[in-house]
């Protein structure tokens, strides 16, 4: 019997699904006494440190947790759940009353690499522990965080990971342990680790070890554009430059849940669902998308992103719902990240015009509660060609690597909303910069000109945006063959590449992309 501490933020559903998949039974902590009655306790956490600590204090969980830990009873903290074991975080120097079981603090990454650190990275093993039994030395786990531990006592370090420099990625003292990475999102190897925690009678580490692991891999992401077809069935569709109809009908390339499972099994590092008509509907009424997430997360143990329609709403009865309510429902249903498209354009335009953060935008609200890493901005730009720099009227100008249709030498990338239906007087670079300032943690960079063309990623666009921000960028639109993936990783600093059509039409398997990248010396998770 596993007891799960859910303090209300982040994606606990994935942990529940993983434990149940492994045959464990689960009980949720609903009152302080449940903590002391636990046999084994798992504490998953994602998001904002201050928010977590405040809730733990409000619910009066701190004292029973301390008593549980001091008694050396089995405890597994995941991400923030592990950070809570330490004395405090740079995220909040003021008030925090954390568990203080380990001496040391949590600090923000100090690096020129993208922060948050997102993706599949290796582990350098420092101690022999039953928790890591059966874990291959070249295994990679899924990380998503901006802060890392700095323990005072080196003897508690179980593993480190290298991201620019070496940081502590898991700790253990007796039966108390925690990982910065997410085993519930780390595919088979993560399941092995959870199985070890659930199944082992004796979890104590048995001495030092020195195994060097791999580095951060470039991510290959499968994207499922989802909408209802004319019969009202939810289908995965795919457009050519965002036009998803063929002879009048919505193209139907399969069912979202089964396709997602297929991509997980084929080695996708993440899966993204975009509800492409979300701007029309109210997502909390759009139960099929929530069902898709719930069903997918039962069998898919890699990160899931969901986008489409995430904004504030007022329903027909005048009842208001915030974007945060919508996102919360998606997180509870199994999403790890939400993606915001149209609303981000409106918010960024307002922010650029006034220079003021209202604190009320979807980006700000969701990142405040769930953390920056949970907020992806999906950008849908198209090229606006100009003959001279002056014509770009202050928009981020690019000297195009290929001439325009009328031999224009320059362009800028114009933002669109509602799936390309409307254009706005804002360029993609300015949008990305503004959204990062507002709290976004990642950019999903589409390109309408390239979408569905198989002509390769738009490298000019990707370089312009990636060079302007310090958060990770996912290159999207136009992948037509394996070589397009190596090209985007060799010629830009994108952290991930996403494709849809070639995977749906079975033209290029995900495994072939990974093999090709590995042959070119690009690190990938196999
Ligand atoms: O604006 O917050 O409601 O979100 C709507 C979301 O739906 C946005 O993320 C937007 O990108 C997406 N979307 C809207 N309409 C379409 C459409 O295709 N008609 N799809 C659409 C965007 C782009 C990528 C695609 C890549 C790779 N699709 O997701 O998967 O271009 O395709 P490829 O590899 O086949 O070239 P909001």
């Amino acid at each position: 019997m596993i007891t799960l501490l859910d303090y209300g933020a982040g994606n606990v559903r994935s942990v529940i699904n993983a434990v149940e998949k492994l045959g464990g039974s689960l009980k949720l902590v609903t009152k302080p006494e449940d903590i002391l009655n636990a046999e084994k306790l798992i504490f998953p956490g994602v998001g904002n440190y201050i928010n977590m600590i405040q809730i733990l204090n409000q619910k009066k969980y701190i004292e029973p947790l301390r008593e549980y830990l001091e008694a050396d009873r089995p405890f597994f903290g995941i991400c923030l759940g592990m950070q809570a074991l330490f004395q405090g975080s740079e995220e909040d120097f003021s008030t925090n009353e954390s568990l203080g079981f380990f001496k040391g603090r949590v600090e923000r990454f100090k690096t020129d690499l993208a922060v948050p650190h997102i993706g599949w990275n290796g582990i350098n093993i420092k101690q022999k522990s039953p928790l890591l039994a059966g874990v291959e030395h070249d295994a990679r786990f899924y990380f998503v965080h901006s802060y890392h531990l700095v323990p005072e006592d080196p003897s508690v370090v179980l593993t480190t990971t290298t991201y620019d420099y070496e940081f502590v990625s898991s700790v253990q003292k007796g039966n108390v342990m925690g990982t910065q990475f997410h085993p519930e999102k780390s595919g088979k190897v993560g399941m092995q680790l959870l199985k070890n925690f659930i199944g082992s009678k004796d979890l104590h580490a048995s001495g030092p070890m020195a195994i060097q692991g791999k580095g951060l891999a470039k991510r290959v992401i499968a994207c499922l554009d989802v909408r209802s077809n004319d019969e009202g069935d939810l289908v995965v569709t795919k457009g050519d430059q965002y036009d998803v109809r063929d002879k009048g009908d919505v193209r139907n390339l399969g069912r979202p849940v089964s396709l997602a499972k297929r991509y997980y099994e084929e080695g996708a590092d993440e899966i993204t669902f975009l509800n492409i008509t979300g701007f029309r509907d109210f997502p909390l009424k759009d139960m099929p998308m929530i069902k898709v997430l719930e069903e997918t997360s039962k069998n898919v143990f890699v990160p899931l992103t969901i986008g489409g329609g995430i904004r504030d709403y007022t329903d027909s009865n005048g009842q208001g719902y915030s974007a945060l309510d919508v996102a919360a429902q998606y997180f509870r249903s199994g999403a790890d990240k939400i993606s915001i498209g149209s609303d981000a354009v409106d918010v960024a335009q307002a922010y650029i015009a006034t220079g003021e953060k209202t604190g009320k935008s979807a980006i700000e609200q969701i990142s405040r509660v769930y953390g920056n890493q949970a907020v992806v901005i999906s950008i849908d730009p198209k090229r606006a060609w100009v003959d001279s720099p002056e014509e770009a009227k202050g928009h981020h100008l690019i000297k195009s690597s290929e001439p325009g249709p009328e031999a224009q030498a320059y362009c800028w990338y114009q933002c669109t909303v509602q799936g390309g239906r409307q254009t706005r007087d804002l360029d993609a670079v300015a949008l990305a910069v503004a959204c990062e300032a507002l709290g976004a943690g990642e950019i999903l960079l589409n390109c309408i000109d390239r979408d569905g063309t198989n002509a390769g990623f738009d490298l000019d666009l990707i370089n312009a945006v990636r060079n302007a921000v310090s958060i990770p960028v996912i290159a999207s639109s136009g992948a037509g063959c394996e070589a397009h993936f190596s090209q985007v990783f060799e010629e830009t600093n994108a952290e991930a590449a996403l494709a849809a059509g070639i995977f749906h039409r079975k033209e290029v398997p995900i495994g072939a992309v990974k093999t090709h990248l590995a042959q070119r010396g690009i690190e990938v998770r196999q």
Side-chain angles (χ1 to χ4, degrees):
M1 172 66 79
I2 299 296
T3 302
L4 191 91
L5 184 66
D6 172 15
Y7 66 97
N11 178 8
V12 285
R13 178 172 290 269
S14 300
V15 181
I16 296 172
N17 288 339
V19 171
E20 286 179 348
K21 184 99 180 164
L22 291 165
S25 43
L26 252 150
K27 193 174 175 289
L28 291 180
V29 172
T30 55
K31 49 188 182 316
E33 305 85 271
D34 295 338
I35 293 171
L36 288 169
N37 291 333
E39 280 171 42
K40 285 190 175 180
L41 194 60
I42 300 184
F43 180 18
V46 188
N48 184 293
Y49 183 89
I50 307 161
N51 187 46
M52 169 188 69
I53 294 296
Q54 278 171 350
I55 298 174
L56 290 183
N57 279 284
Q58 276 157 15
K59 295 198 170 193
K60 305 208 173 343
Y61 287 168
I62 296 278
E63 278 317 314
L65 275 170
R66 282 186 178 150
E67 195 179 329
Y68 184 93
L69 295 164
E70 288 305 333
D72 189 32
R73 293 168 61 187
F75 176 97
F76 188 4
I78 300 173
C79 192
L80 272 194
M82 173 190 70
Q83 295 186 358
L85 292 169
F86 284 75
Q87 288 169 306
S89 171
E90 211 178 69
E91 222 178 313
D92 171 29
F93 275 119
S94 53
T95 52
N96 64 69
E97 174 66 1
S98 73
L99 296 172
F101 179 73
F102 290 123
K103 285 214 168 73
R105 297 187 75 82
V106 178
E107 287 183 5
R108 193 174 161 85
F109 273 111
K110 292 173 182 64
T111 172
D112 290 334
L113 298 182
V115 177
H117 165 226
I118 299 182
W120 296 79
N121 208 336
I123 52 171
N124 311 311
I125 303 176
K126 307 288 182 187
Q127 290 190 57
K128 201 167 177 208
S129 167
L131 186 68
L132 301 174
V135 171
E136 306 282 330
H137 74 278
D138 59 354
R140 285 190 172 93
F141 291 87
Y142 190 77
F143 288 81
V144 52
H145 60 127
S146 301
Y147 293 79
H148 64 83
L149 294 177
V150 185
E152 277 179 23
D153 176 3
S155 75
V156 303
V157 177
L158 180 59
T159 65
T160 62
T161 291
T162 308
Y163 186 57
D164 199 1
Y165 50 86
E166 217 172 315
F167 70 91
V168 174
S169 53
S170 66
V171 289
Q172 178 167 9
K173 184 175 160 196
N175 280 316
V176 177
M177 57 209 76
T179 59
Q180 183 60 63
F181 51 84
H182 289 264
E184 78 284 10
K185 287 285 146 192
S186 298
K188 288 198 184 88
V189 68
M191 293 297 267
Q192 176 66 48
L193 196 135
L194 282 172
K195 190 172 162 200
N196 293 341
F197 178 75
I198 294 168
S200 302
K201 286 220 166 62
D202 182 6
L203 284 158
H204 287 80
S206 59
M209 212 178 187
I211 291 182
Q212 197 67 18
K214 298 255 178 183
L216 183 69
K218 294 286 186 183
R219 286 172 280 154
V220 176
I221 301 176
C223 184
L224 288 77
D225 288 355
V226 179
R227 62 161 288 170
S228 297
N229 65 10
D230 298 321
E231 286 74 52
D233 297 325
L234 207 63
V235 297
V236 174
T237 189
K238 186 64 218 104
D240 294 329
Q241 302 188 13
Y242 284 32
D243 179 4
V244 298
R245 289 185 181 269
D246 188 21
K247 298 193 189 92
D249 295 329
V250 172
R251 289 193 188 107
N252 178 351
L253 296 170
R255 298 278 170 194
V257 176
S258 52
L259 264 187
K261 183 161 181 275
R262 186 185 115 203
Y263 295 142
Y264 167 61
E265 283 160 3
E266 288 179 5
D269 295 317
E270 283 182 35
I271 294 179
T272 297
F273 292 106
L274 296 176
N275 177 3
I276 67 170
T277 51
F279 66 88
R280 289 188 196 141
D281 318 309
F282 174 39
L284 293 182
K285 279 215 182 99
D286 186 15
M287 297 314 278
M289 275 321 278
I290 288 167
K291 264 245 130 1
V292 164
L293 271 176
E294 286 173 352
E295 288 305 310
T296 302
S297 63
K298 282 185 190 154
N299 294 303
V300 173
F301 297 101
V302 293
L304 303 176
T305 302
I306 177 128
I310 296 176
R311 58 186 163 89
D312 296 341
Y313 282 88
T314 305
D315 71 12
S316 49
N317 302 321
Q319 161 94 34
Y321 298 87
S322 69
L324 185 63
D325 295 331
V326 179
Q329 181 63 40
Y330 280 140
F331 289 125
R332 268 196 297 279
S333 307
D336 300 282
K337 305 188 243 184
I338 54 88
S339 142
I340 306 176
S342 305
D343 187 69
V345 178
D346 296 335
V347 167
Q349 282 191 303
Y351 172 57
I352 292 166
T354 61
E356 273 172 34
K357 297 180 186 172
T358 62
K360 292 186 183 143
S361 68
I363 302 172
E364 291 162 282
Q365 286 192 51
I366 300 168
S367 62
R368 196 157 50 234
V369 176
Y370 292 94
N372 308 48
Q373 81 296 328
V375 180
V376 181
I377 304 301
S378 170
I379 309 185
D380 300 312
K382 49 178 158 199
R383 279 189 192 229
W385 292 99
V386 286
D387 289 313
S388 66
E390 297 71 45
E391 272 181 60
K393 297 203 175 98
H395 293 300
H396 189 99
L397 186 78
I398 287 167
K399 175 129 181 42
S400 178
S401 52
E402 59 198 57
E406 286 160 26
Q408 300 95 328
Y410 300 97
C411 73
W412 59 283
Y413 286 88
Q414 183 165 26
C415 292
T416 69
V417 295
Q418 301 193 354
R421 286 169 181 81
Q422 294 175 19
T423 52
R424 290 289 159 85
D425 189 26
L426 178 68
D427 70 74
V429 175
L431 174 63
V433 170
C435 291
E436 178 180 8
L438 289 165
E442 200 170 24
I443 303 288
L444 164 50
L445 190 53
N446 304 298
C447 176
I448 296 182
D449 309 82
R450 293 296 173 102
D451 174 64
T453 62
N454 287 14
F457 296 97
D458 190 325
L459 305 179
D460 289 340
L461 169 66
I462 297 159
N463 274 320
V465 171
R466 182 63 192 83
N467 294 340
V469 295
S470 58
I471 53 180
V473 169
I474 302 166
S476 164
S477 303
C481 61
E482 292 92 327
H484 288 150
F485 289 84
S486 51
Q487 185 184 40
V488 78
F489 290 134
E490 284 166 358
E491 296 183 31
T492 79
N493 287 324
E495 280 75 10
L498 170 152
I502 53 167
F503 297 151
H504 302 336
R505 295 187 298 266
K506 298 194 175 161
E507 289 163 11
V508 180
I510 293 170
V513 173
K514 297 268 186 100
T515 305
H516 169 79
L517 290 173
Q519 281 164 355
R520 301 277 307 189
I522 297 166
E523 296 226 40
V524 284
R525 177 185 73 110
Q526 291 291 2

